[in-house]
């Protein structure tokens, strides 16, 4: 997994770190020639009550994937992470 320049991982909960490790494994399984890019945790601008500011949410880059592959990745992440996780396909990233 690569971190976009400026991403601040300090304050990420242990659960989020575990989830990101699982997400990285899913991504590597689907796209062995690419690396997952983490674009935000507590940095950046999010809604006032966002879980980002609690270290409980992350954004993952998916802009280099075709639309159908974005759906495939979202579904694979949902399956691997389970019902306790909310995996959302946003306009320009996966949250």
């Amino acid at each position: 997994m690569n971190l976009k320049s400026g991403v601040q991982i300090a304050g990420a909960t242990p659960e989020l770190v575990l989830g990101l490790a699982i997400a990285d494994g899913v991504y590597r399984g689907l796209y062995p020639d690419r690396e997952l890019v983490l674009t935000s945790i507590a940095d950046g601008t999010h809604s006032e009550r966002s879980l980002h500011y609690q270290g409980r949410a992350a954004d993952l880059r998916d802009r280099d994937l075709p639309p159908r592959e974005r759906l495939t990745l979202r579904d694979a992440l949902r399956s691997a992470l389970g019902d306790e996780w909310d995996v959302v396909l946003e306009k320009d990233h996966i949250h």
Side-chain angles (χ1 to χ4, degrees):
M1 177 183 310
N2 283 329
L3 303 179
K4 178 180 139 184
S5 177
V7 169
Q8 299 173 13
I9 61 171
T13 64
E15 295 84 1
L16 180 61
V17 173
L18 175 60
L20 290 171
I22 292 168
D24 188 49
V26 167
Y27 195 88
R28 288 177 186 267
L30 291 172
Y31 313 107
D33 297 334
R34 301 180 187 195
E35 284 203 65
L36 182 63
V37 178
L38 175 63
T39 61
S40 179
I41 295 181
D43 49 291
T45 304
H46 307 282
S47 65
E48 185 177 313
R49 297 185 335 193
S50 172
L51 295 179
H52 282 274
Y53 300 121
Q54 298 172 28
R56 297 176 53 209
D59 294 337
L60 308 173
R61 179 174 291 158
D62 68 350
R63 69 179 181 206
D64 58 334
L65 298 176
R68 179 162 290 186
E69 288 298 310
R70 294 177 73 226
L71 294 171
T72 298
L73 177 57
R74 180 206 58 197
D75 293 346
L77 290 170
R78 283 180 175 170
S79 178
L81 291 167
D83 293 337
E84 292 185 28
W85 290 83
D86 189 20
V87 179
V88 180
L89 183 60
E90 301 280 356
K91 178 181 173 186
D92 59 354
H93 64 278
I94 291 181
H95 174 84

